[in-house]
Amino acid sequence: MTYIILSAGKGVKLQPLTLNHPKSLYKLDDKTTILQRLVRKIREYDTEAEIVVVVGYMYKQIQKELEDDNVKFVHNPFFSATSSMGSLWFAKNYLQRENVTIVNGDIVVSDKLMQNVICQHTDCPYVLFDSTRKDVNKYNVQIQGELVCVMSKNLTEFSGNYASITKLDAVSSRFLLEQLKQMVNEEMYDLFFEDALVQMIFQNNFELYYKDIKDYKWTEVDCVDDLLKARQIQATDE
């Protein structure tokens, strides 16, 4: 499978901790950073993985950190002016694979979640969300039946927090590629790439499924409390 890791952003919410290095290089212990853990756990459970890391902010530090981990790098030179839509656009060629997983570079998940879900092939497009987490400041998911109705940071009613992980089969990844090209051509590169999925739902009746990961340990590192949760996951899995 192909894994596209989006790790180009500045990590503004964690400043001043991120003034000298990207937040994905925060150390979970003496030997392992957030991004190293993500890459190495993917390798552990998918030995044939093609791993692509989209870099931008302080990209040379990330490249040096992963120089021995057999990953491909894609550079987003406009990381300051774009969001994940722009970053994924620079990695658009990798959306033409048979199975694609798109994940943010600041995600820390348990071994079980990596093994049972993230590193498993899929024959349909779906996103991961957690029904036990209802933070209104996060990017959230509203579901109906088996499908996602909408995802946004501006929902007053929603089913749970999006876990910043999307899995695509060959058909849906190419569908996303076309939508991505269209939106970037219309200068919407400052949006989240997930907004392209939402447009596909609204405009083309795209069927996007979901998996509730409420029974797994995971965190997206947006604040200091999240850093502590990430370290706890690392310590538990050792």
Side-chain angles (χ1 to χ4, degrees):
M1 284 190 297
T2 296
Y3 301 80
I4 301 175
I5 301 175
L6 304 176
S7 191
K10 289 184 175 182
V12 174
K13 292 180 182 178
L14 273 171
Q15 288 182 352
L17 295 179
T18 54
L19 290 177
N20 295 317
H21 59 77
K23 68 175 175 179
S24 61
L25 298 190
Y26 175 80
K27 286 190 175 294
L28 298 173
D29 57 29
D30 291 340
K31 300 177 292 183
T32 310
T33 64
I34 292 173
L35 193 54
Q36 282 178 328
R37 175 187 168 86
L38 180 57
V39 167
R40 291 171 184 176
K41 289 299 180 183
I42 290 172
R43 285 263 178 253
E44 182 177 349
Y45 295 111
D46 185 354
T47 57
E48 301 299 319
E50 176 185 45
I51 302 177
V52 180
V53 182
V54 184
V55 295
Y57 179 63
M58 297 189 176
Y59 69 94
K60 291 183 179 179
Q61 288 190 29
I62 294 177
Q63 290 177 329
K64 181 176 176 58
E65 188 81 2
L66 298 179
E67 61 185 356
D68 298 324
D69 285 285
N70 188 26
V71 304
K72 299 176 181 178
F73 293 102
V74 173
H75 185 217
N76 174 7
F78 307 112
F79 64 89
S80 292
T82 64
S83 188
S84 61
M85 182 85 74
S87 286
L88 187 58
W89 186 86
F90 280 97
K92 60 185 181 297
N93 291 341
Y94 296 98
L95 289 174
Q96 301 181 68
R97 301 296 199 256
E98 296 307 304
N99 244 249
V100 180
T101 298
I102 306 170
V103 53
N104 282 2
D106 59 353
I107 298 294
V108 177
V109 305
S110 68
D111 273 27
K112 288 183 178 180
L113 179 54
M114 184 66 74
Q115 181 178 19
N116 296 345
V117 181
I118 297 172
C119 289
Q120 295 296 318
H121 282 257
T122 183
D123 57 4
C124 67
Y126 69 90
V127 298
L128 275 56
F129 89 103
D130 191 330
S131 62
T132 65
R133 304 191 188 186
K134 299 290 184 72
D135 187 343
V136 296
N137 297 310
K138 300 288 187 179
Y139 200 91
N140 292 306
V141 178
Q142 180 62 276
I143 64 173
Q144 184 174 24
E146 296 181 339
L147 299 175
V148 173
C149 296
V150 65
M151 298 191 297
S152 176
K153 288 198 74 172
N154 300 308
L155 297 177
T156 55
E157 295 184 8
F158 51 88
S159 306
N161 292 163
Y162 172 55
S164 296
I165 302 169
T166 296
K167 293 185 67 67
L168 304 169
D169 63 348
V171 174
S172 59
S173 62
R174 287 161 174 78
F175 197 177
L176 174 59
L177 174 59
E178 293 308 310
Q179 184 68 40
L180 187 71
K181 289 179 179 178
Q182 176 185 328
M183 294 179 74
V184 169
N185 286 338
E186 295 173 357
E187 301 184 0
M188 298 182 185
Y189 38 74
D190 58 341
L191 300 178
F192 298 109
F193 88 84
E194 292 87 355
D195 294 331
L197 296 173
V198 174
Q199 288 299 306
M200 290 156 58
I201 293 171
F202 288 165
Q203 295 178 2
N204 305 102
N205 295 318
F206 176 67
E207 292 187 340
L208 179 63
Y209 295 84
Y210 63 85
K211 185 172 184 64
D212 188 353
I213 56 172
K214 63 181 180 179
D215 295 325
Y216 294 97
K217 293 179 180 179
W218 71 278
T219 188
E220 182 173 19
V221 179
D222 279 335
C223 64
V224 174
D225 286 344
D226 295 337
L227 293 173
L228 299 178
K229 292 176 186 176
R231 283 192 163 185
Q232 289 172 356
I233 293 173
Q234 171 73 357
T236 300
D237 281 345
E238 285 185 333

